[in-house]
Amino acid sequence: MSNESLANLLKEERRFAPPAELAAAANVTAEAYEQAKADRLGFWAEQARRLSWETAPTETLDWSNPPFAKWFADGKLNVAYNCVDRHVENGNGDRVAIHFEGEPGDTRSITYAELQREVSKAANALIELGVETGDRVAIYLPMIPEAVIAMLACARIGAPHSLVFGGFSADALATRIHDADARVVITADGGYRRGKPSALKPAVDEALTRPGTENVRSVLVVRRTGQEDVAWTEGRDVWWHEIVERQSEAHTPEAFDAEHPLFILYTSGTTGKPKGILHTTGGYLTQVSYTHHAVFDLKPETDVFWCTADVGWVTGHSYIVYGPLSNGATEVLYEGTPDTPHQGRWWEIVQKYGVTILYTAPTAIRACMKWGDDIPAKFDLSSLRVLGSVGEPINPEAWVWYRKHIGADRTPVVDTWWQTETGGIMISPLPGVTETKPGSAQVALPGIAATVVDDDANEVPDGSGGYLVLTEPWPSMLRTIWGDDQRYLDTYWSRFENRYFAGDGAKKDEDGDIWLLGRVDDVMLVSGHNISTTEVESALVSHPKVAEAAVVGATDPQTTQAICAFVILRGGVDAEDAGLVEELRAHVGKQLGPIAKPKRILPVAELPKTRSGKIMRRLLRDVAENRTLGDVTTLTDSSVMDLIQAKLPAAGSED
Ligand code: ATP
Ligand code: MG
């Protein structure tokens, strides 16, 4: 089935050559692949020179104790200096670093010179609060400039930060504070969400009553919403504006070892309980800086970059904070949701700031498809020149829609595969080099080694599928799972010897290009055939009545697993239409072959997603198999599961 269905996908495949103008002036050309192939470590040593080191490294990779890597170990640098001060020293202090757009419409543009002053003051404030090099600081903030300033202030003084997404509950916050043993929490009174102020501080107060959070001695509170009635614990709570504003604007950054911890970040929990991923300084910054330059073709003098992720996810860490700022970019930071106060808000922002590079997630693209083409059509999006996608496999249908309706059928789309664990982009087209294929992340970046293997660790030939693995260490790789080296070994390095197992299924097409097929845990076994959830979902989404689909395999006495699909219909389609389910089944059968026809298809209003917008198939599998739900702490809205459970007839009662 795998090969046939891939052939089917490829039949309809369209290819898009890079625009000639972009290719002619591209930051990175095809030569980079050759150069990295000839001398991989030399290639990364050269990329490390993008940064300003206080002590330049002489050593590139120490892999003497695999899989515990050290990159550039004898070098010393300061991350905040690289992201802020050096741009000011180079005469770019007046360049805007951040155009902030608050959800209520308040705005603030911060130049690199101002950012330097703000970060220095915040660093001085943390020092006054007794934060020392190595202390962990939890950051629980909305998408406001203080989130970026706080991260850079921590980096500046060598205090690893642990961001917790502002939408998480007190419980999720408490577990993460406990696991990282944080000493300080930086939060806000609240943030704006869907037109209303939404409080944050009460969740911190509640979290700090939980066991394991006793070591938190200060809570630094940004005033964002100005809500009255903010509960206050004297001696522990401090207003940001009171302590930060009175600090000196000067702070001399200290250089830290390249392997000094930069941050801990918990994975989004799509496949299970979140893991505290540890990233360090020199290798991480090298790779995020290089990939941001290469994959988005960033020209700092003229581009306006916008990554729509939350700073609380790895995408926000690497492509809102460390990648763009280390490259001296001008970028947009938007606090709110794409449909507040109207469904054209994002496109209004693109038009307003002349955004040239947009980086977002398939879940957002599918939502925009559902809302309709007429919405982006009302805005001038002609400034856009590169579009990016990350977070999930992007269905070919959504990819083509994105290029056509947002990119005017002109801009390259780069589908970037990576993980919290990889720290930076790993597999992606290069916009000035690669002939793109909708739905495929295609090739490992220069200096990155990825392949697809079978159960016995043999590389599969072109045209077949298996498991995605990384075969060489890379600079921004995770160094371990915080406090749990054994789990690091077990999760990533035990499935295949000497290879990093990403947990994702993938295929190589006839050209050797990589197609991501979703989590290995999600692959279905139907009558002896491995069927990927991604392919069936993409087939469903290619039907004009379907906006979004999630597919799982549920235990079945006859076929081992039976394909169960949950679909969100496009606006205006009647869910009660008697022929709909059969029509969709037939459509999938035609696209992928009869074996891939879902046994059951259920139209639903919402799908369970993580807070970062990824579909949580494991919960749907629990429902489809009548089990109690697994870990739901990272689920956006638990009522979604009740609705779905209520709609689902008892397993086996249908054809
Ligand atoms: P957990 O590991 O806790 O289950 P998670 O894997 O969702 O959470 P992240 O690190 O945010 O946490 O997500 C990385 C995963 O997202 C990848 O392993 C892959 O499954 C998916 N992914 C990211 N980008 C892409 C992409 N471009 N194409 C396909 N899949 C992608
Ligand atoms: Mg993962």
Side-chain angles (χ1 to χ4, degrees), residues 165 168 267-272 313 363 391-392 519 607-619 631-637:
F165 171 58
F168 277 144
T267 55
S268 71
T270 314
T271 54
W313 309 124
T363 181
E392 286 181 291
R519 318 303 177 124
L607 290 169
K609 292 188 180 164
T610 62
R611 304 274 172 155
S612 58
K614 296 168 197 250
I615 300 170
M616 282 168 109
R617 291 176 195 75
R618 65 183 168 86
L619 296 182
D631 185 281
V632 290
T633 53
T634 64
L635 183 67
T636 332
D637 173 4

Side-chain angles (χ1 to χ4, degrees), residues 267-272 275 277 418-421 491-492 500 502-504 519 614:
T267 55
S268 71
T270 314
T271 54
K275 305 170 275 283
I277 302 301
W418 58 296
Q419 312 176 293
T420 308
E421 294 87 340
T491 310
Y492 309 107
Y500 172 91
D504 287 337
R519 318 303 177 124
K614 296 168 197 250

Side-chain angles (χ1 to χ4, degrees), residues 168-352:
F168 277 144
S169 65
D171 273 332
L173 175 62
T175 336
R176 287 164 178 73
I177 289 174
H178 172 83
D179 190 74
D181 190 17
R183 303 307 160 96
V184 170
V185 180
I186 306 180
T187 188
D189 50 357
Y192 290 94
R193 207 74 193 151
R194 304 201 177 280
K196 289 193 298 270
S198 145
L200 273 181
K201 176 74 167 40
V204 177
D205 293 331
E206 197 186 327
L208 294 183
T209 64
R210 304 289 155 83
T213 61
E214 300 80 5
N215 288 334
V216 173
R217 48 170 190 258
S218 311
V219 177
L220 190 50
V221 189
V222 177
R223 183 181 279 159
R224 166 65 183 142
T225 54
Q227 284 156 292
E228 284 154 22
D229 67 8
V230 177
W232 212 250
T233 303
E234 286 305 329
R236 183 196 74 185
D237 299 350
V238 195
W239 284 109
W240 174 283
H241 58 266
E242 282 174 5
I243 188 167
V244 174
E245 288 318 314
R246 63 175 161 73
Q247 301 295 324
S248 155
E249 289 178 351
H251 175 270
T252 309
E254 181 190 338
F256 298 103
D257 288 345
E259 283 298 335
H260 187 78
L262 179 63
F263 64 83
I264 301 165
L265 180 63
Y266 293 82
T267 55
S268 71
T270 314
T271 54
K273 197 166 159 279
K275 305 170 275 283
I277 302 301
L278 177 69
H279 283 288
T280 59
T281 298
Y284 172 80
L285 198 63
T286 296
Q287 189 167 335
V288 298
S289 170
Y290 173 69
T291 52
H292 182 254
H293 161 84
V295 172
F296 301 109
D297 192 45
L298 179 96
K299 313 279 197 255
E301 300 79 17
T302 48
D303 275 319
V304 179
F305 179 78
W306 183 17
C307 165
T308 67
D310 192 279
V311 279
W313 309 124
V314 73
T315 307
H317 283 55
S318 301
Y319 300 104
I320 292 176
V321 184
Y322 297 113
L325 297 177
S326 66
N327 289 336
T330 295
E331 64 179 338
V332 170
L333 184 75
Y334 171 54
E335 180 184 29
T337 54
D339 52 351
T340 307
H342 57 82
Q343 293 176 335
R345 183 71 188 269
W346 274 13
W347 317 124
E348 192 175 71
I349 293 173
V350 168
Q351 175 178 293
K352 175 172 173 184

